[in-house]
Amino acid sequence: MMAYADALQRMLACAHVLPAETVALEDAAGRVLARDVDSPQSLPPFDNSAMDGFALRCDGVAMAASTELEVQGWQAAGDDASAGGQGAWEIMTGARMPDGLDSVIPVEQVRVVSSAAGRPQRIALLQSVTPGQFVRLRGQDVGSGETVLTAGSSLSLNACTLLHATGVGQVEVRAQPQVAVISTGRELVTDAGQALGGGQIRDSNRPYLVGRLQAAGARVVWQGVVGDDVAAFDVALQTALDAGAQLVLSTGAVSQGRYDFIPDALRARGATIHVHKVAIRPGKPLLFAQLPGGTLYFGLPGNPVSAAVGQRFFVEPVLRRLLGMAAEATLQLPLRADVRKPAGMRFHARARVELGADGQLSARVLAGQESFRLMSMLQANAWVVLDGEDEVARAGTPVQVQGWGHRDPVRLAAMEVS
């Protein structure tokens, strides 16, 4: 068996960053930037009021309470620049500051001395005014020309919102990896609502992998199910390649049983098998190959958690490489309790990150770590990775903790205090 690090390195060596393409910002959510983005303007684009009130001119000197001022104008949001003069201007939140005025007093801190036609003409200050108070300065958030996002960043909703606000209408992003998913096994039923016959199970791997791949930034161009039949598999694989798949995932048929035909089927197509069997649990039979046209192929085991581990800890790092993203950062948290692990194997455990009564975070590995168990995947909010030769990882030992997907933060068990 190959060590995890060696297997992953072989996979990454076959993955090359995809070309860039330009897309409209409205179509860019979830995409990965291929180039840094510099703001074409300042944000805010002009000095503006943070309050409904009156704009004043302090010139760096506090203005005392009880000061009376003539109201020289009115400024609403959307109004163009105005010359402020020496008096006060009634102003709305977000409205541009009249030129020369530098401070705002909220409307509730002012007494209207006189008014005409419903507009204040003269005011008295009920509180002193600190120079610059309640004014949002031009460029206080983002300066013109400032780099706001760097290449390799994923365009989240917040990122797209900032780009829209700064006037960025299109961005240069990496092409999406084109991916296909093939489930193998004559026992598989694709329709969740269909009654099962004797010996049948539902194909839960394929929808899971499709969802995780899409969340990781890939575009699924084809998916399907085949029985334990080489000819049917060849047709499915060719269909996936014809659909443009640059990366193909399959589940099942990669171990050493009578129906584990995929290694030989790939060799018959001229594929180079770089990895077959990795020193991990679960998911040891994992296979990685490259087809003659350059397509990358991941043969994942058929057990649901084994397939999930293969997708999370092998496929996702390769997708990061294709998308030009930096290596994933991980957390280190102490184990809440002792955990038994296979000696000499890298163990990927479903776990919960929890907040203790002492206010400290720790990781609790869940019971029921067998690779067929789906309930523990529902209960988990993170992965814990245990490596090394020891058979037991002791409570308090710092361990590697990763989110359920590489774009998912490690989630804290909500309001859970032990």
Side-chain angles (χ1 to χ4, degrees):
M1 291 183 294
M2 190 177 296
Y4 170 82
D6 294 337
L8 181 59
Q9 192 54 48
R10 290 195 182 190
M11 296 173 186
L12 294 175
C14 296
H16 305 290
V17 179
L18 294 173
E21 60 186 26
T22 299
V23 300
L25 181 62
E26 63 193 36
D27 299 322
R31 302 293 294 272
V32 176
L33 283 174
R35 185 186 297 275
D36 295 354
V37 178
D38 298 336
S39 176
Q41 68 172 56
S42 297
L43 192 66
F46 46 78
D47 296 352
N48 69 89
S49 176
M51 292 283 182
D52 288 338
F54 292 86
L56 315 170
R57 184 169 186 164
C58 286
D59 280 334
V61 179
M63 191 173 292
S66 76
T67 300
E68 292 194 10
L69 297 164
E70 297 292 332
V71 179
Q72 297 184 334
W74 302 269
Q75 190 81 347
D79 287 350
D80 205 348
S82 303
Q86 294 295 325
W89 280 63
E90 188 176 15
I91 196 166
M92 289 176 57
T93 300
R96 182 174 184 141
M97 291 289 289
D99 294 345
L101 306 189
D102 55 27
S103 309
V104 172
I105 186 169
V107 66
E108 59 268 23
Q109 296 176 10
V110 165
R111 178 172 60 86
V112 177
V113 176
S114 63
S115 61
R119 288 187 177 275
Q121 300 295 308
R122 187 173 181 82
I123 60 170
L125 309 185
L126 300 179
Q127 294 190 20
S128 62
V129 177
T130 302
Q133 71 176 31
F134 301 122
V135 175
R136 306 161 176 159
L137 298 177
R138 179 178 183 272
Q140 187 174 356
D141 190 8
V142 177
S144 178
E146 178 181 344
T147 299
V148 292
L149 290 168
T150 57
S153 301
S154 177
L155 288 169
S156 64
L157 176 60
N158 289 340
C160 291
T161 299
L162 176 62
L163 294 182
H164 187 94
T166 55
V168 176
Q170 56 185 26
V171 287
E172 198 169 339
V173 296
R174 291 292 166 199
Q176 286 184 283
Q178 310 292 290
V179 182
V181 180
I182 305 171
S183 290
T184 71
R186 64 188 182 94
E187 75 278 15
L188 297 179
V189 172
T190 59
D191 183 355
Q194 179 180 331
L196 298 179
Q200 290 185 320
I201 60 173
R202 295 185 179 88
D203 174 26
S204 60
N205 282 340
R206 183 173 47 85
Y208 175 84
L209 292 173
V210 166
R212 293 305 331 169
L213 290 165
Q214 291 171 335
R219 178 171 174 260
V220 178
V221 296
W222 189 84
Q223 54 178 302
V225 180
V226 299
D228 302 313
D229 178 82
V230 175
F233 169 77
D234 280 337
V235 170
L237 179 54
Q238 189 59 52
T239 303
L241 296 176
D242 291 342
Q246 300 159 308
L247 191 153
V248 177
L249 279 68
S250 66
T251 61
V254 290
S255 190
Q256 291 181 314
R258 178 184 297 274
Y259 297 105
D260 294 325
F261 60 86
I262 284 181
D264 287 339
L266 293 176
R267 291 189 186 96
R269 296 182 69 99
T272 300
I273 295 179
H274 296 284
V275 175
H276 193 192
K277 295 185 183 178
V278 185
I280 60 170
R281 289 280 178 85
K284 180 179 71 173
L286 183 139
L287 176 147
F288 172 74
Q290 191 165 23
L291 297 172
T295 298
L296 307 181
Y297 189 98
F298 288 87
L300 308 180
N303 278 319
V305 183
S306 299
V309 166
Q311 187 276 333
R312 178 64 181 91
F313 294 97
F314 294 96
V315 178
E316 289 202 15
V318 168
L319 289 176
R320 290 184 74 93
R321 175 66 59 88
L322 294 172
L323 290 167
M325 303 177 76
E328 182 181 356
T330 61
L331 292 177
Q332 293 284 322
L333 291 177
L335 276 177
R336 182 174 290 273
D338 291 356
V339 178
R340 296 196 64 84
K341 61 174 288 294
M345 305 279 277
R346 176 180 160 112
F347 182 40
H348 303 88
R350 288 142 280 169
R352 288 184 71 80
V353 173
E354 298 174 341
L355 181 67
D358 58 359
Q360 301 299 308
L361 294 176
S362 63
R364 175 170 62 89
V365 171
L366 298 173
Q369 289 290 323
E370 295 90 346
S371 60
F372 70 90
R373 290 183 180 265
L374 290 175
M375 183 59 76
S376 58
M377 291 178 69
L378 175 63
Q379 296 164 343
N381 63 9
W383 292 99
V384 159
V385 179
L386 303 176
D387 218 338
E389 299 298 323
D390 296 339
E391 293 185 352
V392 178
R394 297 297 179 186
T397 302
V399 294
Q400 179 178 321
V401 179
Q402 292 179 238
W404 206 245
H406 77 77
R407 296 194 187 186
D408 304 324
V410 173
R411 296 184 296 107
L412 175 65
M415 305 300 291
E416 183 170 336
V417 177
S418 58

